[in-house]
Amino acid sequence: MPASAEPDRTGRAGSDAGIAASDGGSGDADPADAQDAGGDPGSDAGTDGGGGASDVGPGDAGQTEPLRRRWSQNHGDLTFVHRADDGALDVTFRFDGATLDGDMVHGDVAVDGVVVHSTAGLTRPEQDNGFFAGLCVDPGQQVAWLPQRNSDAFELGVPFVGLLAGVDAGVFVDDVLTLELVGVRSPSGSGAYSLWRDGFPPTFFFASCDGIDAADAVQLPIGHDHFNMGFTEPGVWEVDYRISGELVEGGSSTGSTTVRFLLE
């Protein structure tokens, strides 16, 4: 890609922001740490770290929601697993040394127990021949960003988020699952979410600014892959996904999940 068409990769805030969000230390309160009423500190199961949970994001008054830990750095996958008992597809986070509230975590953690926290930004090139229109911002404007490349994630101190089709070979037709974008809720109600792969030109799979329909889908072969994610405004987001696959023995298997993101 010509240098003039390369997006500008930057850290939007301190790269260690939010790592110890629940350590009870003094200082200014984090406006993102709105407490969901009735949260149970004991609900943070499934990790091997001993840190507390950061309850990040808005909740309905009187509604109990599991406390969420901030995933601030290092690698993990949004993982799709086929259940042999009833054929459904389960969704979980699978970590191999990710930093959650300052602790190094390995293993599976429920999706509703995590908020993905990024302080990185990406600026759309001024002259890109329309290649980055899927970012849903004008040239020269910035999006909050989760990088595809491990080198970018490491340099900027943000999560390296993968998508893992953790299913056995021979169960699904062509050994492929399909991930669809179903819904997006942004802080303002009008923000846009994108998912794309680097290249010349880049390939956009999701871009919610032109509406969400059947075209907002990406195929995931067995194994794991990485993509870029972009968000047009800071704050707390929720993104709804549907995962599905056609079974070799006939019929299909489906699952769904909602992932919460905190962009600064």
Side-chain angles (χ1 to χ4, degrees):
M1 181 178 296
S4 61
E6 275 287 349
D8 179 31
R9 298 163 168 83
T10 61
R12 296 164 63 92
S15 62
D16 61 349
I19 291 177
S22 62
D23 61 2
S26 61
D28 295 337
D30 186 341
D33 288 340
Q35 296 296 313
D36 294 322
D40 180 4
S43 64
D44 183 39
T47 75
D48 65 358
S54 301
D55 191 13
V56 181
D60 296 333
Q63 178 179 343
T64 300
E65 178 180 288
L67 297 181
R68 295 175 185 261
R69 304 182 73 187
R70 291 197 197 192
W71 175 14
S72 57
Q73 288 181 305
N74 301 321
H75 181 257
D77 294 308
L78 185 63
T79 302
F80 311 104
V81 181
H82 184 236
R83 278 205 317 250
D85 54 353
D86 62 4
L89 282 165
D90 276 344
V91 188
T92 186
F93 277 120
R94 183 163 294 171
F95 296 116
D96 52 1
T99 302
L100 272 65
D101 277 355
D103 297 323
M104 182 175 290
V105 176
H106 296 267
D108 290 1
V109 179
V111 174
D112 65 1
V114 175
V115 58
V116 186
H117 178 209
S118 179
T119 56
L122 189 74
T123 301
R124 180 178 173 181
E126 292 286 355
Q127 298 181 356
D128 64 2
N129 296 316
F131 290 160
F132 287 93
L135 290 180
C136 302
V137 295
D138 292 332
Q141 292 186 330
Q142 189 178 80
V143 297
W145 179 44
L146 285 162
Q148 172 185 332
R149 301 175 189 173
N150 188 27
S151 57
D152 288 328
F154 179 79
E155 178 183 351
L156 296 171
V158 298
F160 184 42
V161 182
L163 300 176
L164 171 61
V167 299
D168 293 333
V171 175
F172 291 92
V173 174
D174 297 328
D175 289 332
V176 166
L177 300 178
T178 300
L179 183 67
E180 300 170 81
L181 179 64
V182 177
V184 174
R185 288 174 296 285
S186 70
S188 71
S190 59
Y193 165 73
S194 303
L195 182 139
W196 75 97
R197 179 178 283 136
D198 290 335
F200 184 66
T203 301
F204 281 84
F205 300 96
F206 304 160
S208 68
C209 54
D210 61 359
I212 299 174
D213 55 29
D216 292 291
V218 59
Q219 290 196 325
L220 303 176
I222 288 178
H224 94 286
D225 205 347
H226 286 267
F227 302 83
N228 298 282
M229 297 185 188
F231 308 79
T232 58
E233 62 189 36
V236 178
W237 291 63
E238 289 185 335
V239 180
D240 304 324
Y241 304 96
R242 180 177 182 269
I243 187 72
S244 63
E246 297 299 319
L247 295 164
V248 170
E249 295 182 353
S252 62
S253 181
T254 63
S256 62
T257 194
T258 298
V259 179
R260 185 171 291 181
F261 300 88
L262 170 62
L263 295 315
E264 293 184 324

